[in-house]
Amino acid sequence: MESTKKEIRKAILAERRALDEETVALASQVICRKVLEIDAYEEADNICLYMPIRNEVDAMLLADAAAEDGKKVWLPKVITKGEKGEAGVMRFNAYEGEEHMITGAYDIRESDSEVFLEPTDKTVIIMPGAVFTPWRDRIGYGGGYYDRFLEEYPQCKTIALAFDLQIVDEIPVEGHDMKPDYVVSETSIYR
């Protein structure tokens, strides 16, 4: 493999940033509708979403449906940022509506709730990422937050959301890279 993770991430994210708002919104709706049909979602008690940034698939489109389905919705909160070789720590706290949102680490909006998730095998993590393969290999954003969380809580099910342009045939994979159970794009569900 010629390209490094960093180079592949940069190229794909540039393509994603070039998408117009309408394309992102429509594709996000299609992708989120597919998530609602996945067994892991249907069986979950807890759904962990993420706040979309820089043209990510809008996972928050799932918040109302999850609440209507009787599921508790959670959002990531960076407890400590990774600095000077230190690994950062992320947890999920309760989403209690837009009026309870604040700006957190990396200028990403997060819930101000002090109620934190205790993950179970009925927890589904809806995760972002930069690049994926049809075999569910994943390149994240380089912080390792989801990899570390899932290493600590392997009982959680994972569904990654991506636009078709983020799916490539091959990426370099390292031992600590966590594969999501599903990758959902506009046209496919990879499992």
Side-chain angles (χ1 to χ4, degrees), residues 6-87:
K6 199 172 187 176
E7 292 166 337
I8 295 168
R9 179 188 300 122
K10 184 177 177 183
I12 296 295
L13 291 181
E15 280 187 58
R16 192 180 74 192
R17 272 193 308 277
L19 294 173
D20 63 79
E21 200 174 305
E22 185 179 8
T23 300
V24 170
L26 292 173
S28 291
Q29 289 172 15
V30 169
I31 291 165
C32 288
R33 273 197 300 272
K34 287 179 182 233
V35 170
L36 300 177
E37 299 166 12
I38 294 174
D39 289 347
Y41 169 84
E42 291 177 2
E43 295 164 7
D45 293 332
N46 297 297
I47 300 293
C48 300
L49 303 177
Y50 61 84
M51 291 302 297
I53 59 170
R54 295 186 293 277
N55 272 0
E56 287 178 323
V57 174
D58 187 355
M60 291 305 291
L61 293 174
L62 293 164
D64 289 343
E68 286 169 19
D69 291 339
K71 300 170 191 314
K72 184 81 176 134
V73 177
W74 306 85
L75 291 177
K77 182 180 189 82
V78 172
I79 306 299
T80 58
K81 282 172 89 170
E83 298 187 27
K84 296 182 187 157
E86 299 281 318

Side-chain angles (χ1 to χ4, degrees), residues 40 43-46 118-124 153-157:
E43 295 164 7
D45 293 332
N46 297 297
E118 293 183 28
T120 70
D121 61 354
K122 298 277 188 191
T123 299
V124 169
Y153 300 103
Q155 70 272 32
C156 298
K157 305 288 185 289

Side-chain angles (χ1 to χ4, degrees), residues 12-13 16 19 23-24 26-35 38 50 52 54-59 62 125-134 136-141 158-168 171 180 182-190:
I12 296 295
L13 291 181
R16 192 180 74 192
L19 294 173
T23 300
V24 170
L26 292 173
S28 291
Q29 289 172 15
V30 169
I31 291 165
C32 288
R33 273 197 300 272
K34 287 179 182 233
V35 170
I38 294 174
Y50 61 84
R54 295 186 293 277
N55 272 0
E56 287 178 323
V57 174
D58 187 355
L62 293 164
I125 311 288
I126 304 290
M127 61 194 300
V131 188
F132 301 90
T133 70
R136 305 180 336 273
D137 296 314
R138 172 183 179 267
I139 295 177
Y141 297 112
T158 51
I159 302 172
L161 308 183
F163 299 113
D164 284 331
L165 68 83
Q166 293 174 259
I167 311 293
V168 301
I171 57 176
Y182 302 86
V183 176
V184 182
S185 75
E186 303 96 304
T187 58
S188 300
I189 298 176
Y190 304 98

Side-chain angles (χ1 to χ4, degrees), residues 76-140:
K77 182 180 189 82
V78 172
I79 306 299
T80 58
K81 282 172 89 170
E83 298 187 27
K84 296 182 187 157
E86 299 281 318
V89 175
M90 175 185 76
R91 292 290 179 257
F92 289 89
N93 62 346
Y95 173 63
E96 298 169 342
E98 284 298 313
E99 64 278 9
H100 294 280
M101 299 296 287
I102 58 172
T103 299
Y106 306 105
D107 290 326
I108 298 173
R109 294 173 62 235
E110 57 188 36
S111 171
D112 66 2
S113 172
E114 292 302 317
V115 177
F116 285 87
L117 171 69
E118 293 183 28
T120 70
D121 61 354
K122 298 277 188 191
T123 299
V124 169
I125 311 288
I126 304 290
M127 61 194 300
V131 188
F132 301 90
T133 70
W135 303 273
R136 305 180 336 273
D137 296 314
R138 172 183 179 267
I139 295 177

